[in-house]
Amino acid sequence: MSVKSTMQFEIAARPAAVVAALVAVEDLPSWSGPHKTVTVESRHDDGRPHRVRADVGAVGLTDHQVSDMVWHGDSRMTWTLVEATILKAMDGTYTLEQVGEGQTHVIYDLAVDINIPMLGMIKRKAAKVITDTASGAKAARPGLDKVREFLRAGDTLTGRHLDDRARLKSALRSPSGCLEVRGADTNNL
């Protein structure tokens, strides 16, 4: 059973800068918890990664993956799983569109099929780990932690995008958050 997921978000950077981050696949282990090692085995003529080998951990398992990447200028990157020990198939796409000066709208599509017998619920959790990592939804947010220190009753924290607002409310209303404790609220422009 293949699990499909789509996530959309905005990044405060031009598409070329987002592509530069995607090109730096060897840096994945420094910011993506599931990625243990990443090696570029071959590159396209323009220097962008073509074949990538990675050790990726999710839901208590480590998969040894080889994927091929295809680049479509600064607007799209796709990858297809070539071989793996746990996954049967994985196809992913980042589609990038500049939506303003220094803003990029990202659509992240992923289809994953696991090679070992596993409950659908666990497969969906593994896919969620992958999409959360790709979007930064579970990334450390030291800036948000700093904001938490200063919020007081009556303060309004403003986000520019609905996605920001949902993440802010979720992060700040969590047990480690402060909105309910201090009586602050969020607002969206």
Side-chain angles (χ1 to χ4, degrees):
M1 171 182 93
S2 180
V3 176
K4 295 180 182 182
S5 180
T6 296
M7 183 174 269
Q8 296 186 41
F9 50 96
E10 289 193 5
I11 296 177
R14 293 174 183 231
V18 176
V19 168
L22 294 174
V23 165
V25 295
E26 292 155 315
D27 293 340
L28 275 170
S30 70
W31 62 267
S32 168
H35 287 84
K36 307 306 177 203
T37 63
V38 176
T39 306
V40 176
E41 292 191 339
S42 66
R43 295 185 180 271
H44 293 282
D45 291 341
D46 63 2
R48 292 178 176 181
H50 171 250
R51 179 151 290 180
V52 175
R53 183 173 297 275
D55 291 330
V56 183
V59 293
L61 303 170
T62 299
D63 195 13
H64 308 286
Q65 304 172 355
V66 177
S67 299
D68 282 348
M69 299 178 151
V70 177
W71 303 84
H72 308 271
D74 288 346
S75 64
R76 199 163 69 109
M77 185 270 282
T78 61
W79 70 95
T80 301
L81 186 70
V82 176
E83 63 182 68
T85 53
I86 296 173
L87 294 182
K88 184 187 305 184
M90 179 171 62
D91 294 298
T93 303
Y94 280 102
T95 303
L96 312 174
E97 178 186 354
Q98 187 162 339
V99 291
E101 186 59 35
Q103 289 286 326
T104 301
H105 181 76
V106 180
I107 301 171
Y108 175 71
D109 291 304
L110 181 70
V112 178
D113 195 1
I114 298 176
N115 204 19
I116 57 177
M118 191 177 282
L119 293 172
M121 171 181 80
I122 296 172
K123 283 186 180 185
R124 288 187 294 278
K125 178 161 176 55
K128 181 160 177 35
V129 167
I130 295 168
T131 55
D132 284 350
T133 299
S135 71
K138 298 291 183 186
R141 290 188 167 73
L144 182 57
D145 293 337
K146 199 74 161 160
V147 167
R148 283 186 177 128
E149 294 174 23
F150 293 100
L151 281 176
R152 300 290 180 256
D155 288 349
T156 299
L157 182 60
T158 302
R160 296 187 307 171
H161 306 288
L162 290 175
D163 196 37
D164 291 344
R165 183 177 178 190
R167 287 185 188 165
L168 285 172
K169 279 196 173 186
S170 173
L172 292 171
R173 289 194 192 281
S174 70
S176 62
C178 64
L179 284 182
E180 291 175 350
V181 174
R182 296 195 179 142
D185 200 0
T186 59
N187 189 19
N188 196 51
L189 291 178

